[in-house]
Amino acid sequence: MRTFFPSDSCKESQLNAINPQSWLQVERGKLSKLSSSHTNSSSIESFIKVPEPPILPFFKPIDYVEVLAQIHEEMESCSPQERSTLYLLQFQIFRGLGETKLMRRSLRSAWQRAGTVHEKLVFGAWLRYEKQGEELIADLLATCNKCAQEFGPVDVSQLQVEVNGCSKETVAMNGDKSLKNVNFKIGDEIIVCDRQKIASLSAPFHAMLNGYFTESSSQDIDLSENNISPLGMRTISEFSITGSLSEVHPDLLLEILVFSNKFCCERLKDACDRKLASLVCTKDDAVEFMEYAIEQNSPVLAASCLQVFLHELPVCLNDERVVEIFSHADRQQRSIMVGQASFSLYCLLSEVAMNLDPRSDKTVCFLEQLIESAETDREKLLAFHQLGCVRLLRKEYDEAEGLFEKAVSLGHVYSIAGLARLGYIKGHKLCSYEKLSSVISSVNPLGWMYQERSLYCEGDKRSEDLEKATELDPTLTYPYMYRAASLMMKQNVQAALAEINRVLGFKLALECMELRFCLYLAIEDYKAAIRDVQAILTLSPDYRMFEGRVAASHLRTLVREHVGSWTTADCWMQLYDRWSSVDDIGSLSVIYQMLESGGAKGVLYFRQSLLLLRLNCPDAAMRSLELARRHASSEHERLVYEGWILYDTGHCEEGLRKAEESIKISRSFEAFFLKAYALADSSLDSSCSSTVISLLENALKCPSDNLRKGS
């Protein structure tokens, strides 16, 4: 989830929030030091607050290796139609692990192996949604004569629809053989049609014109009461002869579609379906036509409308008409709209809705549809757990409890954490503790189990559980944050900083950076505080602190007043010092400050991207690379940044081509370095090693600073 999924806080952590503006807007040196006699733990407690770990809406099995191996085994023996669903399940598991690259790889595999047009639509839209803001990559690929196919439209006309023709053998022939034509009267007009051509359109028409009906021996037949206009009937007559529809107005096509459905004219209906599908261009078109598509069972038209909706995610979910269509579709309507890919569609819609607002009614509606679409136990437990998390957020505790219980009964042990949290909210703290203890004693325990149990005990027991949680899963941030805050309340500043630095040494978590920022504010170390808040803003420019109440950019402005300004020379010296000592967070902070004061922004954003990649922040790194490209001071510099953008998104050969274009314009260190890097990665031939070495030697001959040459 892109959005932080908050939880209800335990009672003891409900502390009054401080007003950081009033706290900071005082003269330097006038704030109380921690050592002052009137400073106590409660004043620190009101400032440094650690929220409970949320119950995450993810599929979290007990044994990830076993489940992934099982999925891999199923993929080898399953039908092609089932493969995309298995890749979706694999995606859900990687999401629970926080493995963004593996998540995208699974989604891409699901899209590549999609067995139906509907699956292609859903997984293509999901890939686009995950890559929001990466349209630049598609543009860059276009300059290399390569198309990013997941960004392009799907040809819905490929959708196979079974069309049954008229079976003449099943209808007894009794018509007047001398009647070559039939005259259909509609109002005051007569439309002359070829009798047998019209009869061939459907079994009902064949029976009417050639069977034991009065009309079979009649030259004139009145169709005035069948909601077809004279122009519509002439178009149908023409279709009966040519087998195709010429240029027809959409309103007339809709009229013919309804008529063809009424008289079971499958070929005519299919032609209308496909013709209408080609006319859907805008969201308003899609909203209007989807109603007809569902009413008239027109799957190609429905797929075309669906494609428009999905292409406009997440914005289209702000349109209540679109939400209504997705929220209230029954089983048959879902089948018309998305075929057998209903579960995949509502997985996507639920994720988008949760990212927009996990408490919203539309999120609930989509998750309820997800439950209805689920077929296997694994699909059902995911849907029950996710809706349980949303009900918990909405404080709908009884409903949440029932959903978590269903997920647990299907084997999702992690949902017990939701039941325990609900028990605690209802005042059954001991029961919650015992629930977790029972799980820990019955399975191979995981870190989250001890972390969750720690919420329901005090003192040494809590400390022991948190230590065990860290031992089993060092990536859990809550234990470090809780210990750091506890140490700070005991006024053990250095120990608190050492504790939070343990996790920041290998995981650049924003919530941990925020806590350390608060620790530095509490001891009035403004230089360290400004470093952390500038690093936070580099990672997330719109980040908000103090439970979302204060923009980090505003806090930076306030803290900045307490820190002396640096000249450009000071900044470069600081950058060299920090880069040389591998102080990546410090380097990010210095670059942030340098960017604010102008200078060679392209080069600075590029350096920023290198640091962010080293800190395993690929999304932020890509944002910096795009900014570097935008601020490049020359064409050859811009080509280098474009090459890195392509390389980092898996387009190695295209990245290599950009490096070569740059070298043709100007021989630079960065262009040679990119070419060497991309060539080493793209070629499995051991003979290319000498070429790579030669390229690196050429790079070292070019002007550059010693820090880059050192790499």
Side-chain angles (χ1 to χ4, degrees):
M1 299 291 152
R2 289 181 175 80
T3 308
F4 172 61
F5 215 85
S7 66
D8 292 322
S9 295
C10 285
K11 294 169 185 173
E12 66 261 32
S13 62
Q14 295 288 347
L15 308 171
N16 294 324
I18 192 168
N19 181 341
Q21 185 164 349
S22 61
W23 196 87
L24 285 165
Q25 286 182 336
V26 293
E27 292 182 273
R28 291 184 67 185
K30 297 291 179 69
L31 291 169
S32 303
K33 300 288 184 183
L34 278 174
S35 57
S36 300
S37 58
H38 59 271
T39 301
N40 54 47
S41 62
S42 63
S43 63
I44 302 167
E45 187 177 305
S46 67
F47 182 59
I48 298 169
K49 180 179 176 182
V50 179
E52 286 176 6
I55 305 297
L56 299 170
F58 302 147
F59 179 25
K60 295 173 79 70
I62 293 295
D63 190 333
Y64 284 95
V65 175
E66 181 184 349
V67 175
L68 287 170
Q70 186 180 351
I71 292 171
H72 184 81
E73 188 177 333
E74 289 176 25
M75 283 179 183
E76 292 182 335
S77 58
C78 73
S79 66
Q81 292 75 24
E82 297 173 304
R83 198 156 289 147
S84 286
T85 306
L86 289 171
Y87 277 115
L88 174 58
L89 180 61
Q90 191 183 74
F91 163 85
Q92 298 290 355
I93 293 168
F94 288 140
R95 190 173 69 169
L97 287 167
E99 293 288 347
T100 305
K101 285 186 177 179
L102 294 177
M103 286 163 55
R104 286 195 179 179
R105 191 185 70 181
S106 295
L107 268 186
R108 188 169 183 81
S109 296
W111 173 74
Q112 288 173 330
R113 291 163 176 78
T116 67
V117 168
H118 294 119
E119 287 179 338
K120 206 80 172 175
L121 283 175
V122 172
F123 291 118
W126 207 329
L127 276 171
R128 282 196 305 275
Y129 176 71
E130 289 290 327
K131 295 182 176 184
Q132 285 179 91
E134 293 184 19
E135 289 80 5
L136 168 64
I137 296 161
D139 295 339
L140 292 180
L141 287 172
T143 66
C144 301
N145 299 316
K146 186 175 178 181
C147 176
Q149 292 177 314
E150 65 269 25
F151 287 99
V154 174
D155 183 5
V156 297
S157 66
Q158 296 176 2
L159 187 63
Q160 299 298 313
V161 180
E162 186 176 345
V163 177
N164 297 317
C166 171
S167 178
K168 298 178 183 178
E169 293 77 8
T170 62
V171 181
M173 297 289 287
N174 192 46
D176 188 338
K177 308 300 186 294
S178 65
L179 297 176
K180 184 176 186 299
N181 294 328
V182 59
N183 301 327
F184 288 115
K185 183 185 178 191
I186 300 173
D188 296 330
E189 295 194 42
I190 301 293
I191 296 90
V192 181
C193 303
D194 185 304
R195 192 179 196 91
Q196 295 310 314
K197 293 292 185 183
I198 294 294
S200 70
L201 288 177
S202 70
F205 268 128
H206 189 73
M208 177 196 293
L209 299 174
N210 294 322
Y212 291 94
F213 289 91
T214 306
E215 290 86 351
S216 63
S217 56
S218 301
Q219 180 83 30
D220 301 315
I221 299 173
D222 193 344
L223 286 182
S224 299
E225 302 301 319
N226 286 278
N227 297 318
I228 188 72
S229 65
L231 181 57
M233 198 64 223
R234 288 191 188 95
T235 306
I236 293 169
S237 177
E238 183 183 339
F239 176 84
S240 72
I241 296 168
T242 64
S244 63
L245 290 168
S246 56
E247 294 302 316
V248 183
H249 191 275
D251 290 342
L252 188 60
L253 280 171
L254 289 170
E255 179 186 305
I256 296 169
L257 176 67
V258 174
F259 181 87
S260 64
N261 223 9
K262 181 177 181 178
F263 285 91
C264 304
C265 305
E266 295 295 330
R267 287 188 299 113
L268 177 60
K269 177 189 170 185
D270 185 62
C272 285
D273 191 6
R274 295 177 187 279
K275 194 79 172 177
L276 284 165
S278 68
L279 301 176
V280 182
C281 299
T282 67
K283 184 182 65 177
D284 288 337
D285 292 340
V287 169
E288 179 185 355
F289 286 133
M290 183 63 93
E291 182 180 351
Y292 282 97
I294 290 173
E295 284 181 0
Q296 303 302 322
N297 190 10
S298 302
V300 183
L301 177 57
S304 184
C305 297
L306 178 65
Q307 176 161 232
V308 171
F309 293 149
L310 296 182
H311 193 269
E312 294 191 19
L313 285 176
V315 177
C316 75
L317 294 189
N318 294 323
D319 189 324
E320 288 302 320
R321 299 172 302 167
V322 177
V323 173
E324 181 81 12
I325 288 168
F326 287 132
S327 297
H328 296 99
D330 59 27
R331 186 180 186 87
Q332 183 182 358
Q333 291 168 342
R334 290 196 301 268
S335 178
I336 295 167
M337 186 164 54
V338 71
Q340 299 301 307
S342 181
F343 184 80
S344 303
L345 171 65
Y346 283 99
C347 262
L348 168 59
L349 294 176
S350 300
E351 174 159 333
V352 176
M354 280 192 275
N355 288 334
L356 290 171
D357 180 4
R359 294 180 175 86
S360 68
D361 290 340
K362 63 175 163 250
T363 301
V364 172
C365 288
F366 292 159
L367 286 169
E368 287 174 341
Q369 290 279 28
L370 185 67
I371 290 172
E372 289 186 23
S373 304
E375 295 182 356
T376 67
D377 284 351
R378 288 186 298 208
E379 290 175 349
K380 289 175 183 176
L381 69 84
L382 172 66
F384 284 135
H385 178 74
Q386 287 191 329
L387 185 52
C389 290
V390 169
R391 295 287 191 194
L392 174 60
L393 273 180
R394 289 162 61 98
K395 302 187 188 306
E396 297 166 354
Y397 298 135
D398 291 339
E399 294 91 335
E401 186 173 18
L403 290 160
F404 285 135
E405 284 173 348
K406 288 177 181 177
V408 172
S409 70
L410 291 167
H412 194 230
V413 176
Y414 178 63
S415 294
I416 290 175
L419 291 172
R421 199 70 65 93
L422 284 165
Y424 181 77
I425 290 167
K426 293 178 178 181
H428 309 305
K429 186 174 180 179
L430 179 59
C431 182
S432 296
Y433 183 86
E434 289 172 349
K435 265 185 172 60
L436 271 301
S437 297
S438 176
V439 173
I440 289 168
S441 63
S442 60
V443 299
N444 189 26
L446 299 174
W448 67 260
M449 299 174 186
Y450 284 98
Q451 174 178 272
E452 186 66 26
R453 192 174 72 169
S454 73
L455 302 176
Y456 316 121
C457 55
E458 306 293 339
D460 291 341
K461 281 188 176 182
R462 173 173 281 195
S463 298
E464 288 168 10
D465 275 357
L466 289 173
E467 286 295 342
K468 190 66 177 177
T470 300
E471 178 188 326
L472 292 171
D473 187 353
T475 65
L476 294 172
T477 58
Y478 174 78
Y480 301 98
M481 295 173 69
Y482 180 85
R483 288 190 291 261
S486 298
L487 288 164
M488 196 65 182
M489 282 184 237
K490 296 174 183 175
Q491 302 189 16
N492 194 340
V493 181
Q494 295 309 314
L497 288 170
E499 181 61 35
I500 202 65
N501 285 338
R502 285 174 64 194
V503 64
L504 287 172
F506 67 89
K507 183 177 182 179
L508 201 59
L510 287 171
E511 64 271 20
C512 295
M513 291 281 289
E514 179 180 347
L515 177 60
R516 192 170 72 173
F517 168 80
C518 292
L519 296 179
Y520 283 130
L521 282 188
I523 61 173
E524 299 182 34
D525 187 344
Y526 298 120
K527 287 184 179 179
I530 198 77
R531 178 199 63 194
D532 280 359
V533 76
Q534 288 181 164
I536 287 170
L537 287 166
T538 300
L539 289 163
S540 180
D542 299 322
Y543 190 77
R544 299 184 69 83
M545 294 183 172
F546 299 104
E547 298 181 313
R549 285 193 287 271
V550 187
S553 57
H554 181 52
L555 283 172
R556 178 195 176 266
T557 302
L558 297 174
V559 175
R560 193 83 183 85
E561 297 174 9
H562 299 268
V563 181
S565 59
W566 287 345
T567 65
T568 302
D570 290 334
C571 287
W572 278 108
M573 287 298 295
Q574 291 289 338
L575 181 59
Y576 269 74
D577 288 345
R578 283 163 170 71
W579 195 292
S580 302
S581 60
V582 200
D583 176 8
D584 292 339
I585 294 175
S587 298
L588 282 177
S589 178
V590 174
I591 289 174
Y592 186 94
Q593 193 159 328
M594 293 171 77
L595 284 165
E596 201 173 56
S597 60
K601 288 194 173 185
V603 174
L604 290 171
Y605 278 123
F606 180 59
R607 283 188 171 281
Q608 191 180 74
S609 74
L610 297 173
L611 288 165
L612 290 165
L613 279 176
R614 201 153 73 186
L615 290 164
N616 194 28
C617 302
D619 291 340
M622 182 57 62
R623 185 172 61 246
S624 296
L625 263 180
E626 290 176 3
L627 288 167
R629 174 185 178 272
R630 193 183 305 165
H631 290 91
S633 60
S634 63
E635 185 181 358
H636 71 84
E637 184 184 332
R638 177 180 57 78
L639 287 166
V640 169
Y641 302 149
E642 290 179 353
W644 280 115
I645 288 170
L646 290 166
Y647 174 83
D648 286 341
T649 52
H651 304 287
C652 192
E653 291 181 10
E654 290 73 24
L656 186 60
R657 202 178 308 170
K658 291 287 184 181
E660 290 167 348
E661 289 178 33
S662 179
I663 290 169
K664 285 179 184 177
I665 298 171
S666 177
R667 294 166 63 87
S668 69
F669 172 87
E670 295 297 352
F672 278 116
F673 188 81
L674 169 60
K675 184 175 180 180
Y677 206 89
L679 185 63
D681 193 39
S682 63
S683 177
L684 299 175
D685 187 356
S686 58
S687 63
C688 85
S689 298
S690 57
T691 307
V692 171
I693 292 170
S694 174
L695 288 167
L696 290 172
E697 288 173 345
N698 282 326
L700 291 170
K701 293 174 185 175
C702 298
S704 182
D705 60 71
N706 291 329
L707 289 176
R708 282 297 284 150
K709 285 190 174 182
S711 59

